[in-house]
Amino acid sequence: MTLDLVDIDGMAAKAADWSVLQDPRVESVAQAVARAVARDYGLTLEYEDAYQEAVMTAAERASEVRRMLSEAGPGLLHRWLSQRLRDRWLTEARRRAGHLSYEATQQAAERSGQ
């Protein structure tokens, strides 16, 4: 099955080949990568969202995924998919890490007597 994704602007995005997800190795790697990214970027991304991003990335680049699996196996796919997701979420995680919660700010103000 092939699905064409569309941007908000209405321009066609990359075609996704969801059949690549029928390979159990792709499913397993996507789950492992999603767990690791959700653990490392928990303030920014939950497991379900990380998993969705992983399968979308795999489907959008199905030919690359199949080539990696045939040439090098799931280890290379794991590294490649991890890098794609980490690159995408690193900036957002850094931005959020610099923010303090309302409660932390309030406690700090109370301690300083303001």
Side-chain angles (χ1 to χ4, degrees), residues 76-94:
L76 180 60
L77 177 60
H78 186 282
R79 180 160 178 87
W80 178 82
L81 198 52
S82 294
Q83 289 173 340
R84 301 287 88 65
L85 265 64
R86 289 179 196 284
D87 288 348
R88 179 154 190 207
W89 292 101
L90 185 59
T91 302
E92 179 68 17
R94 284 182 181 159

Side-chain angles (χ1 to χ4, degrees), residues 13-55:
K14 298 175 185 173
D17 180 2
W18 298 99
S19 66
V20 74
L21 301 176
Q22 293 175 352
D23 187 327
R25 297 174 297 175
V26 175
E27 178 75 17
S28 176
V29 168
Q31 290 174 354
V33 169
R35 279 191 302 273
V37 171
R39 181 189 62 236
D40 294 346
Y41 300 102
L43 296 175
T44 304
L45 194 62
E46 294 179 358
Y47 169 79
E48 291 82 13
D49 296 328
Y51 177 73
Q52 183 178 13
E53 290 291 330
V55 296

